[in-house]
Amino acid sequence: MSTGPLDLVLRRASLHGHDQGHQFDIGIRGGHIVEIAPEINTDAREIDVQGCLVFGGFIETHIHLDKACILSRCGHSESLSHAIAKVSQLKSEFTQEDIYARGQIVLEKAIVQGTTRMRTHVEIDPLIGLRGFDAILKLKKDYLWAIDLEICVFPQEGLLNNPGTDELLAEALERGADVIGGCPYTDDNPKGQIARIFELARHYDLEIDFHLDFDLDPSRMDLYEVGRQAENYGYGGRVAVGHVSKLSAAPPPLLQEAARMMRDAGVALTVLPSTDLYLMGHGETHSVPRGIAPAHRLLQQGITCSISTNNVLNPFTPFGDCSLLRMANLYANALQVGGADELNLCFEMVTSQSARLMNADDYGLEIGNRADLIVLDAPTTFAAVTELAQPLLGFKAGKQTFSRPRPKLFRPGDIVS
């Protein structure tokens, strides 16, 4: 970190991770947080945030930039398999420019919604080749000024049953993919795919992020094989699994058993409320299941858990504005979360828990950390989740990336300029 005068001070901030009953100033120099105190004396540029909540930004642990914003091309889906098939039909026609343009739309929405870090899953197979990877790699470089983007390459339509996919995955890993992912439920040999993904991860020394157990039958779960392989490879803390909607249908003893395994093996969980709600139980005429794994209960048992977006405006999820706070609020509604402590956990699952899942050790409001900061129009994390507070300001390495003015009411007699 540089020395000398401060570059910027945020005044009167309520800080995530600190006592939210008090306000602090945040001093920034050379792109890093260098001072946090009740009052900082300086002549540096200052912004009075008037008691708003300041935190390290939302973290998107599971999204698909490469197949976003295609709803107008293929319409809604009736099931998970139908959604996969619809995208597959379009995928061969995707160009690098098309993928970049659609991904750019989503990325810019996410930035102004307060997201400072993101892990995007990118499909790799002979149909799409490396066009999606190349497009997202360019986005990663072009938007480094506003967001840190991790690329997780994975085989959406199977690995062992899809010749040529393994070689393409290896090429993407050689060229700089950050994470290796899997989708065992689309493979003829789910255990075989899991084993191969762990082999690739160890070879390239990368973390793993699986799509897993995406249905409502808890009688058989690939989750246990992932846990077994994580223990065999000593990969605890480097494996995440997404969806695992089977856990939403698991009776309490089975849920407890799965939780113990995940905790002991060091396997983290990401739930995707919008997609899980939309696809699970689709077509049921009554008593439609929610399909969302109870992440807040697992978190209370020592398992790293995050809430994320997954898809935006495509057959998997025909909705989305890229607000992770909305996802936290949706999760709280669907899982009937109540009480300040559990609602605060929902905020943690789109911030600090997500940072833990991605092993982002430099995240948060600590002296020496990079000044990636978001100002929310709320005084506390509880208010942020319950009221869907709007992000007002964003900073990346101390440089402002966006602003959103508060709305203004014009009362009778007010002059409208």
Side-chain angles (χ1 to χ4, degrees):
M1 291 182 291
S2 63
T3 59
L6 296 177
D7 301 320
L8 175 67
V9 174
L10 300 185
R11 300 248 184 232
R12 295 198 297 154
S14 176
L15 303 187
H16 175 226
H18 294 67
D19 184 353
Q20 292 180 25
H22 297 83
Q23 295 176 4
F24 297 85
D25 292 350
I26 305 171
I28 299 168
R29 182 174 57 235
H32 291 79
I33 299 169
V34 296
E35 189 174 357
I36 297 174
E39 185 175 359
I40 297 174
N41 295 316
T42 178
D43 295 327
R45 175 184 172 229
E46 61 182 54
I47 299 175
D48 185 355
V49 300
Q50 302 175 35
C52 286
L53 182 69
V54 177
F55 67 111
F58 296 117
I59 299 182
E60 186 80 74
T61 61
H62 187 130
I63 197 169
H64 295 263
L65 295 179
D66 58 337
K67 57 188 179 189
C69 304
I70 58 172
L71 194 62
S72 62
R73 306 182 195 181
C74 56
H76 295 61
S77 64
E78 301 170 359
S79 65
L80 174 60
S81 60
H82 190 220
I84 293 173
K86 280 197 167 194
V87 174
S88 182
Q89 290 169 6
L90 291 175
K91 197 159 50 176
S92 61
E93 302 171 5
F94 290 171
T95 65
Q96 183 176 334
E97 293 74 21
D98 169 50
I99 296 167
Y100 183 98
R102 290 185 286 101
Q104 182 179 33
I105 291 170
V106 174
L107 204 57
E108 291 186 359
K109 285 179 182 288
I111 291 166
V112 299
Q113 294 285 14
T115 300
T116 55
R117 303 182 188 217
M118 175 183 288
R119 174 180 290 176
T120 181
H121 292 250
V122 175
E123 297 186 19
I124 302 290
D125 59 42
L127 267 179
I128 188 65
L130 296 178
R131 294 192 302 278
F133 174 72
D134 287 334
I136 304 305
L137 190 61
K138 187 173 188 304
L139 276 174
K140 175 180 178 175
K141 295 173 182 176
D142 290 351
Y143 280 84
L144 188 59
W145 58 272
I147 191 167
D148 290 317
L149 187 60
E150 276 190 4
I151 301 176
C152 175
V153 292
F154 83 110
Q156 171 72 85
E157 299 180 44
L159 177 58
L160 305 183
N161 61 323
N162 201 356
T165 301
D166 195 295
E167 292 81 0
L168 286 166
L169 275 175
E171 185 176 348
L173 297 174
E174 290 283 353
R175 291 181 49 199
D178 303 291
V179 183
I180 178 71
C183 195
Y185 54 78
T186 63
D187 214 303
D188 294 339
N189 181 359
K191 286 187 177 181
Q193 184 186 127
I194 292 167
R196 178 56 179 154
I197 295 302
F198 270 93
E199 288 176 357
L200 287 167
R202 181 172 64 178
H203 180 76
Y204 290 98
D205 191 23
L206 296 176
E207 296 179 13
I208 300 172
D209 200 333
F210 284 104
H211 294 65
L212 206 68
D213 290 335
F214 199 15
D215 62 49
L216 296 172
D217 177 10
S219 64
R220 182 199 163 278
M221 290 193 281
D222 290 324
L223 178 62
Y224 290 100
E225 179 63 15
V226 170
R228 188 181 72 82
Q229 293 281 12
E231 290 187 323
N232 286 346
Y233 278 86
Y235 243 61
R238 302 189 72 189
V239 181
V241 293
H243 298 294
V244 199
S245 51
K246 287 176 181 283
L247 290 178
S248 72
L254 182 56
L255 183 65
Q256 287 296 112
E257 178 186 297
R260 283 194 297 271
M261 182 280 296
M262 293 176 72
R263 183 179 60 247
D264 293 345
V267 174
L269 171 69
T270 297
V271 295
L272 300 312
S274 188
T275 302
D276 297 348
L277 276 170
Y278 183 73
L279 287 179
M280 293 299 96
H282 207 290
E284 295 289 340
T285 59
H286 60 284
S287 298
V288 180
R290 292 179 173 90
I292 304 174
H296 64 293
R297 296 176 189 163
L298 298 174
L299 174 56
Q300 290 168 332
Q301 296 183 59
I303 298 161
T304 300
C305 294
S306 74
I307 296 170
S308 203
T309 298
N310 195 40
N311 282 290
V312 177
L313 302 176
N314 70 15
F316 296 86
T317 319
F319 315 106
D321 62 357
C322 303
S323 168
L324 278 170
L325 196 55
R326 191 182 306 282
M327 286 297 133
N329 179 279
L330 177 62
Y331 175 90
N333 274 274
L335 274 292
Q336 300 171 329
V337 172
D341 289 343
E342 288 191 341
L343 283 165
N344 285 331
L345 288 182
C346 291
F347 191 87
E348 298 300 321
M349 287 192 284
V350 289
T351 55
S352 57
Q353 280 286 308
S354 297
R356 184 176 178 183
L357 184 148
M358 291 174 59
N359 289 305
D361 296 332
D362 59 342
Y363 173 84
L365 300 180
E366 301 294 338
I367 303 295
N369 281 358
R370 193 173 59 189
D372 296 350
L373 305 171
I374 298 295
V375 180
L376 271 183
D377 194 8
T380 63
T381 56
F382 176 82
V385 174
T386 55
E387 301 175 28
L388 286 173
Q390 290 294 302
L392 299 176
L393 296 169
F395 300 86
K396 182 75 157 61
K399 296 186 182 299
Q400 191 167 338
T401 54
F402 75 89
S403 67
R404 177 188 282 108
R406 285 172 165 152
K408 181 178 180 180
L409 286 173
F410 293 96
R411 303 183 187 280
D414 287 350
I415 297 175
V416 180
S417 58

